[in-house]
Amino acid sequence: MSRLYVARNPRVAARCLDGEMMIMSGRDSTLFTLNKTATILWQAADGATPLDEIVEHRICSEFDVEPADALQDAEQLARELASHEVLQISDQPIPQRIPGGPTRDAGGSR
Amino acid sequence: MSSLLQEMTDKALALGVPLSVQLDLTYRCNERCVHCYLDHEDHGEMTTVEIKHLLDEMAEAGVFILTLSGGEIFLRKDFFELLEYARSLMFCVKLKTNAVMIREKEAARLRDLNIQSIQISIYSHRPEIHDAITLVPGSLKRSLDAVRFLKSQGLRVIIANVLMTENMQDYSSVRALSAELGVECTLDPTVTPMMDGNRSVLKLGVDQNALRQVFRDPALVGDVDEFCAIPAKASESELDALPCSAGHSACYVSPYGDVFPCVQFPLPTGNVRSRRFIDIWRHSERMNEVRSIRVKDLTTCTQCTHVTQCTRCPGLAFMEGNMRGPSSQDCEKSFARTGIPSANMLSRRRPAPNLVQIRALPTLAGATA
């Protein structure tokens, strides 16, 4: 079974507010907010780390959840975010690029 | 404002996060608009390095919406470098420009950088009026060409029209032109005093009759009866509300690094060249004074019929001498909307109390008889 790679879409605007990410779509300026678990996934989506590793190291280590269930939920979330062009998904590693500069984390308060 | 953005704004307010900042990159400009409130001389703009450092600090502080304005932003040779840096920090970037320097190439670069919107000042559909306001011949054509270039790239363009006596008759045509171009249009009937307090530019603003006309135009206000209705008496919760977002979830930074509660509120609260942005935001005494004001603290306005519906600008009130006082320009707008004079207008009309008693005291009168 192929692995799923996830990367933050550099076209979005994003900021973390009290542990929850707010993201504005680059396509149509729709605003999304992610809960704390989804925020962890989004922040770890570097295009190089497969989703199952993100779930194992970032989600399962922090939350009391079965790895298989967590991965299933994470895949569903990733595909949904990809449908809104907030996240990019691929079965290959995704090179990250922001026009004019290296990829940066969306920082934020607290 | 979308409900989600309102929710985020409320959350930012509760957390004390400056969600939205306007950063003017320069006060230099290639137009000389007759109503402009700025001094266009360069008195020591922040360098590229300084601005990048500030952007880092603002991202860390939680700033999400970053409006880059001026002066004319494209006059900075490092504009695209700064914009790219801002987008790499994932700000939601909005631009305000006269667009005179935007051609196909610049429009394509702006598209690649995924900016949220570009606001362009257009004063009239007629070159003889627009160019007479900008004092630059050919400026309307260049700005409108830019609107088309940007629109062809799929960017969100907003035409901003400041209403003055000189262009009062043209606002409907500017709106029609905006619709034809497929872009949004905003209309602002407020001319603001210069940042040094000089109020001479206010004479360019529209009068009561013109305001009444604008506020009774259904194309602008929707339901005229509803828009012009006399407001209900203020409730306790409305009196406990914040006068506006200045200093609460938003602020302004000048090209020289001075931080103000708002671009229209010239109360300096600190400078990012000598103090961290977040420290100014959190700990400036002046910022905290602005932040402490509730509607119920406003002198005069709390007694006013219009207190719940008035567009009162605390910055304009500050420029009149009291940040807790009324803003006369907004009093005029409330009056034009409803026909009811504001408490401020009534107090100015009231004759001075008669302090001189001319009737003779009885004992003295008796003595002289």
Side-chain angles (χ1 to χ4, degrees):
Chain A
M1 189 177 134
S2 65
R3 304 176 95 179
L4 191 67
Y5 291 85
V6 289
R8 297 181 293 271
N9 189 336
R11 294 187 63 211
V12 304
R15 192 67 71 225
C16 193
L17 193 60
D18 197 27
E20 296 186 344
M21 191 62 65
M22 61 180 150
I23 302 174
M24 187 175 280
S25 157
R27 182 175 61 186
D28 56 9
S29 294
T30 305
L31 193 64
F32 301 89
T33 57
L34 305 184
N35 65 21
K36 286 189 165 59
T37 320
T39 295
I40 292 172
L41 190 153
W42 197 86
Q43 286 178 319
D46 59 5
T49 314
L51 184 62
D52 57 296
E53 279 186 27
I54 293 173
V55 169
E56 183 187 344
H57 295 130
R58 304 292 301 274
I59 308 285
C60 293
S61 62
E62 279 206 37
F63 300 92
D64 183 18
V65 59
E66 286 296 321
D69 292 344
L71 182 58
Q72 192 179 354
D73 288 350
E75 279 193 9
Q76 190 182 340
L77 173 69
R79 291 185 196 285
E80 190 184 338
L81 293 178
S83 73
H84 293 292
E85 297 181 18
V86 165
L87 209 61
Q88 298 168 322
I89 56 175
S90 171
D91 56 6
Q92 302 289 323
I94 306 163
Q96 280 269 271
R97 192 186 75 83
I98 287 179
T103 302
R104 292 168 163 273
D105 286 337
S109 66
R110 296 136 211 269
Chain B
M1 188 186 287
S2 76
S3 58
L4 196 51
L5 187 55
Q6 182 61 57
E7 197 181 305
M8 290 297 103
T9 304
D10 292 345
K11 192 170 174 181
L13 262 175
L15 295 166
V17 171
L19 198 64
S20 176
V21 171
Q22 176 170 326
L23 169 61
D24 279 2
L25 297 175
T26 180
Y27 285 160
R28 288 174 289 129
C29 195
N30 48 6
E31 292 185 338
R32 283 293 178 273
C33 298
V34 293
H35 62 291
C36 186
Y37 55 88
L38 293 174
D39 167 5
H40 295 301
E41 290 300 312
D42 178 359
H43 297 288
E45 293 171 3
M46 285 187 282
T47 64
T48 310
V49 171
E50 285 177 315
I51 292 178
K52 285 183 175 178
H53 180 67
L54 172 61
L55 292 173
D56 286 337
E57 289 192 346
M58 293 200 301
E60 194 183 338
V63 176
F64 180 50
I65 298 168
L66 174 68
T67 302
L68 298 178
S69 184
E72 176 44 48
I73 48 180
F74 283 86
L75 282 179
R76 276 201 70 125
K77 289 189 168 55
D78 57 0
F79 171 68
F80 274 107
E81 182 181 348
L82 294 171
L83 182 56
E84 285 172 356
Y85 194 77
R87 282 295 295 127
S88 76
L89 292 169
M90 292 206 155
F91 286 106
C92 168
V93 177
K94 301 180 178 189
L95 304 180
K96 291 183 179 178
T97 170
N98 60 39
V100 162
M101 294 169 74
I102 298 177
R103 319 309 291 166
E104 290 101 324
K105 186 178 140 204
E106 288 77 20
R109 285 190 79 179
L110 293 173
R111 177 209 56 208
D112 289 345
L113 287 163
N114 296 293
I115 54 165
Q116 203 266 343
S117 63
I118 308 164
Q119 181 178 301
I120 298 173
S121 306
I122 302 287
Y123 303 108
S124 170
H125 62 296
R126 294 183 289 166
E128 63 270 29
I129 299 296
H130 177 92
D131 296 356
I133 289 173
T134 64
L135 301 183
V136 176
S139 57
L140 177 64
K141 182 182 182 313
R142 291 204 50 120
S143 293
L144 290 178
D145 284 348
V147 171
R148 293 186 181 94
F149 296 143
L150 293 162
K151 186 65 188 166
S152 71
Q153 294 291 344
L155 288 159
R156 181 184 172 205
V157 179
I158 302 162
I159 283 181
N161 182 11
V162 176
L163 203 57
M164 293 170 274
T165 307
E166 204 168 344
N167 64 349
M168 171 63 200
Q169 299 311 316
D170 292 352
Y171 76 83
S172 296
S173 297
V174 172
R175 285 173 57 81
L177 176 63
S178 305
E180 185 187 317
L181 293 166
V183 303
E184 297 164 51
C185 182
T186 64
L187 183 67
D188 185 354
T190 310
V191 174
T192 54
M194 297 191 71
M195 286 191 91
D196 64 4
N198 183 337
R199 302 178 72 81
S200 61
V201 289
L202 300 189
K203 67 179 185 295
L204 301 168
V206 292
D207 63 11
Q208 264 292 319
N209 287 334
L211 279 176
R212 270 191 218 110
Q213 180 187 328
V214 167
F215 290 157
R216 280 159 185 76
D217 183 343
L220 294 176
V221 304
D223 185 331
V224 174
D225 289 339
E226 190 182 327
F227 185 78
C228 295
I230 298 164
K233 193 172 184 304
S235 66
E236 283 298 315
S237 64
E238 284 171 322
L239 290 173
D240 269 331
L242 306 174
C244 86
S245 64
H248 293 278
S249 59
C251 70
Y252 164 72
V253 185
S254 81
Y256 312 125
D258 293 313
V259 180
F260 301 90
C262 170
V263 65
Q264 284 199 159
F265 201 147
L267 173 71
T269 62
N271 190 291
V272 295
R273 282 170 155 157
S274 56
R275 199 175 178 193
R276 287 199 319 152
F277 171 77
I278 192 64
D279 290 336
I280 297 169
W281 173 259
R282 284 185 184 154
H283 305 303
S284 157
E285 282 183 24
R286 287 175 168 180
M287 196 69 91
N288 281 319
E289 184 185 0
V290 171
R291 210 169 273 152
S292 71
I293 300 171
R294 298 292 176 272
V295 171
K296 66 185 174 192
D297 302 321
L298 304 178
T299 56
T300 312
C301 298
T302 46
Q303 310 302 317
C304 184
T305 311
H306 302 293
V307 65
T308 57
Q309 296 292 318
C310 184
T311 54
R312 176 189 174 274
C313 170
L316 292 177
F318 172 74
M319 282 196 265
E320 277 187 49
N322 181 2
M323 69 170 84
R324 291 173 180 79
S327 147
S328 298
Q329 285 170 276
D330 291 297
C331 293
E332 293 291 337
K333 281 192 259 179
S334 290
F335 179 46
R337 202 160 39 79
T338 62
I340 310 279
S342 71
N344 176 41
M345 294 165 87
L346 290 172
S347 70
R348 282 185 300 177
R349 282 180 199 170
R350 195 176 299 144
N354 192 353
L355 299 175
V356 182
Q357 299 293 321
I358 55 172
R359 190 176 56 179
L361 294 170
T363 49
L364 291 174
T368 54

